[in-house]
Amino acid sequence: MKHLPDWLKTIVFLTIATLCSLLFHLITNNTTNIAIVYMLSIVLITKYTEGYRYGIIGSVVGVIGVNYFFTFPYLELDFTRTGYPITFLGMLAISLITSTTVVNLQAHQRLNADAEKEKMRANLLRAISHDLRTPLTGMIGASATYIEMKDNLTEEEKDELILHIHEDSNWLLHMVENLLSVTRIHDNNTTVTKVSEPVEEVVSEAVMRLKKRYPSARILVKTPEEFLMVPMDATLIEQVMINLLENAYKYSKSKKPIELTVTTESNFVRFSIMDYGVGINKDMIYNFFDGYTVTRNSSSDSTRGMGIGLSICKTIIMAHGGVIEAGNHSNGACFTFTLPLE
């Protein structure tokens, strides 16, 4: 239905309303029920078309249709019978008011969606400015120390400075990968192009990429026994899992394996990443994915660079029509996100 032009949607809804009204007329001969059917069609027309025009057209056609097809004398327009002018004017007024109300609600929803998009952009910009500045400052400081004091430094001190530069440059590369992932999301409607992908392969690829970065990471994976295909952008979902797994590995302060579990619900798939560490500060759970709100000292599960990764996770999952959440269990932290099966 959403791919049909608005004029065709209007015709379809009015045709269905007329056929249903004909059925009511043959069974009950009740004009009140017929008027309600047409008003319901007006609501649907307004909901699935843009602007006021088609709702108003539907209102006028509905009033004329009730009079022409279902009011005696049939197949004639007659607004002169006692009470009918008021009845039809009332029906037209109700239809127009309903049409206007639905359009206003749609406009309000669009404004809320735009506000959410602006909030996500602002959070991303704050996270980027913070997380890029931190490793760059460290690299500049370490390199300046090496250049200015290399004759007075021991080999161990030189190696330590070079190691810091190497770690910070790797972190910058990781952030660039995150930013490149976000550019795959369409800017106009914050959605992604989804293709049915085998969940087990996507999860395996994410785990393999993480272990290349952290060979000592231990991850226990549990997926459904049945072959499961889920609509997604596989590259983006892999990036989400890598970000969450890396967060659990680096900041949980635990040597126990991380658990990555995939379960199916009625109309969505749930991905859960659970660590057995220090958990998340309860004050940070509700805005944990807003990016800049997570700082080094604000959460036991947070440190440098988490902001941009978590904010990007939220952006990617929302673009897929899913939900992402953070919380604690009895022995650590748990991150979950869902993907719709539609």
Side-chain angles (χ1 to χ4, degrees), residues 174 177-178 180-182 184-185 191-207 209-210 229-246 260-262 269-273 309 312-324 336-340:
H174 180 41
E177 290 175 351
N178 275 316
L180 289 175
S181 294
V182 171
R184 294 169 58 87
I185 299 176
T191 59
V192 293
T193 301
K194 295 190 283 187
V195 178
S196 292
E197 300 281 356
V199 167
E200 189 171 353
E201 290 185 10
V202 176
V203 171
S204 298
E205 181 66 22
V207 172
R209 288 176 58 190
L210 180 83
M229 300 287 288
V230 179
M232 67 174 80
D233 183 313
T235 302
L236 293 179
I237 297 303
E238 285 174 14
Q239 192 64 52
V240 170
M241 284 189 281
I242 290 171
N243 286 350
L244 297 179
L245 288 169
E246 181 180 34
L260 195 168
T261 305
V262 182
V269 176
R270 182 182 302 276
F271 296 77
S272 300
I273 295 173
I312 286 172
C313 288
K314 179 180 178 180
T315 301
I316 292 173
I317 298 304
M318 289 183 65
H320 279 77
V323 177
I324 188 167
T336 64
F337 65 89
T338 61
L339 295 178

Side-chain angles (χ1 to χ4, degrees), residues 268-320:
F268 62 88
V269 176
R270 182 182 302 276
F271 296 77
S272 300
I273 295 173
M274 184 181 298
D275 65 51
Y276 292 85
V278 293
I280 307 169
N281 188 317
K282 293 182 179 180
D283 295 333
M284 304 303 300
I285 288 177
Y286 296 104
N287 54 7
F288 201 65
F289 294 96
D290 289 343
Y292 193 66
T293 58
V294 181
T295 61
R296 183 189 298 268
N297 297 319
S298 63
S299 171
S300 57
D301 246 17
S302 64
T303 189
R304 181 188 68 186
M306 277 182 58
I308 189 172
L310 294 174
S311 184
I312 286 172
C313 288
K314 179 180 178 180
T315 301
I316 292 173
I317 298 304
M318 289 183 65
H320 279 77

Side-chain angles (χ1 to χ4, degrees), residues 81-326:
R81 291 186 63 185
T82 304
Y84 275 113
I86 296 176
T87 300
F88 289 129
L89 287 175
M91 179 183 169
L92 179 60
I94 292 172
S95 299
L96 292 175
I97 292 171
T98 302
S99 174
T100 303
T101 301
V102 173
V103 170
N104 287 336
L105 287 174
Q106 289 176 335
H108 186 65
Q109 290 174 346
R110 284 194 292 268
L111 288 175
N112 286 340
D114 291 339
E116 183 64 23
K117 286 168 63 177
E118 290 302 320
K119 180 181 177 181
M120 285 193 297
R121 290 192 183 99
N123 288 334
L124 280 174
L125 287 174
R126 287 196 295 268
I128 290 169
S129 63
H130 176 267
D131 289 345
L132 288 179
R133 183 174 63 246
T134 302
L136 283 173
T137 301
M139 292 170 66
I140 292 171
S143 59
T145 301
Y146 188 92
I147 293 172
E148 295 171 3
M149 302 182 62
K150 61 181 179 181
D151 294 334
N152 300 322
L153 296 173
T154 64
E155 292 300 320
E156 291 77 10
E157 290 172 332
K158 291 179 182 179
D159 290 342
E160 184 177 358
L161 289 173
I162 293 174
L163 178 62
H164 288 322
I165 294 173
H166 178 73
E167 291 176 347
D168 285 336
S169 61
N170 274 333
W171 186 255
L172 282 174
L173 177 61
H174 180 41
M175 285 195 291
V176 170
E177 290 175 351
N178 275 316
L179 293 174
L180 289 175
S181 294
V182 171
T183 61
R184 294 169 58 87
I185 299 176
H186 198 286
D187 290 333
N188 292 333
N189 54 18
T190 321
T191 59
V192 293
T193 301
K194 295 190 283 187
V195 178
S196 292
E197 300 281 356
V199 167
E200 189 171 353
E201 290 185 10
V202 176
V203 171
S204 298
E205 181 66 22
V207 172
M208 183 177 65
R209 288 176 58 190
L210 180 83
K211 289 185 71 67
K212 285 182 178 179
R213 189 174 295 160
Y214 303 105
S216 61
R218 291 192 296 159
I219 303 169
L220 300 179
V221 178
K222 300 177 184 178
T223 58
E225 293 183 1
E226 69 272 16
F227 185 72
L228 184 60
M229 300 287 288
V230 179
M232 67 174 80
D233 183 313
T235 302
L236 293 179
I237 297 303
E238 285 174 14
Q239 192 64 52
V240 170
M241 284 189 281
I242 290 171
N243 286 350
L244 297 179
L245 288 169
E246 181 180 34
N247 177 70
Y249 172 72
K250 293 182 67 176
Y251 311 131
S252 64
K253 300 179 182 179
S254 172
K255 295 182 179 180
K256 294 183 179 180
I258 302 164
E259 295 181 5
L260 195 168
T261 305
V262 182
T263 56
T264 57
E265 307 286 343
S266 58
N267 56 357
F268 62 88
V269 176
R270 182 182 302 276
F271 296 77
S272 300
I273 295 173
M274 184 181 298
D275 65 51
Y276 292 85
V278 293
I280 307 169
N281 188 317
K282 293 182 179 180
D283 295 333
M284 304 303 300
I285 288 177
Y286 296 104
N287 54 7
F288 201 65
F289 294 96
D290 289 343
Y292 193 66
T293 58
V294 181
T295 61
R296 183 189 298 268
N297 297 319
S298 63
S299 171
S300 57
D301 246 17
S302 64
T303 189
R304 181 188 68 186
M306 277 182 58
I308 189 172
L310 294 174
S311 184
I312 286 172
C313 288
K314 179 180 178 180
T315 301
I316 292 173
I317 298 304
M318 289 183 65
H320 279 77
V323 177
I324 188 167
E325 297 175 324

